[in-house]
Amino acid sequence: MSIKHFLLWLPMIVIAFANATLRELMFIKQFSEFRAHQLSTITLIIFCSIYVWIVFPLLRIQNSKQALFIGFVWMLLTVAFEFSLGRLTNKSWEYLFRDYNLFAGRIWLLFLICLFLLPCVFYALRQHK
């Protein structure tokens, strides 16, 4: 993992904020808060997948192990950012962990799993060209 990999993660914060804006301006008006969050998680997966596909050549991934490591670090950075921002904005721990409850229909973990796997998936796809 290099500084380049970290710098390529940073725009995903902007993508996430843009996606949250889309949720608040459009999805919340059409759906319940619960459904809006689910839909927003799916759109975030799509937006980040497109972004990673575009920047993938810049990652210069050499093997699947490196790809999984980059995805793992990106996932950890995302969780650390999410909890740090949440605590800075006085969100309770209960509130922050709410989106991690798959049994309650919260699918945020799906995004984190996708973020973890994206570099590896795109590495495998590019190897089979």
Side-chain angles (χ1 to χ4, degrees):
M1 179 80 178
S2 70
I3 189 72
K4 174 180 60 175
H5 298 126
F6 171 75
L7 293 174
L8 289 170
W9 169 79
L10 289 174
M12 286 190 264
I13 295 171
V14 176
I15 293 168
F17 276 108
N19 187 65
T21 301
L22 177 67
R23 179 185 66 234
E24 296 303 316
L25 294 178
M26 295 184 67
F27 301 158
I28 291 284
K29 292 178 182 177
Q30 303 295 321
F31 305 99
S32 68
E33 184 271 341
F34 176 73
R35 289 284 182 243
H37 271 274
Q38 287 179 324
L39 183 56
S40 181
T41 301
I42 293 166
T43 57
L44 184 59
I45 290 168
I46 293 167
F47 294 150
C48 284
S49 295
I50 292 167
Y51 169 74
V52 173
W53 179 258
I54 291 168
V55 302
F56 186 82
L58 300 174
L59 295 172
R60 299 183 190 253
I61 293 174
Q62 302 300 310
N63 54 55
S64 57
K65 183 178 176 181
Q66 182 188 23
L68 284 172
F69 181 72
I70 291 167
F72 181 72
V73 171
W74 281 357
M75 182 185 66
L76 289 179
L77 287 168
T78 301
V79 171
F81 179 81
E82 174 192 17
F83 278 89
S84 297
L85 183 63
R87 294 303 293 163
L88 284 171
T89 57
N90 296 317
K91 302 281 191 292
S92 69
W93 287 109
E94 180 183 349
Y95 178 87
L96 293 173
F97 280 110
R98 181 180 67 164
D99 283 335
Y100 288 80
N101 187 349
L102 283 173
F103 298 110
R106 297 292 183 164
I107 60 172
W108 176 247
L109 280 174
L110 183 60
F111 169 73
L112 294 175
I113 291 167
C114 288
L115 185 59
F116 169 61
L117 293 175
L118 279 173
C120 193
V121 168
F122 291 150
Y123 175 78
L125 289 173
R126 302 246 175 156
Q127 293 304 303
H128 290 99
K129 278 190 166 184

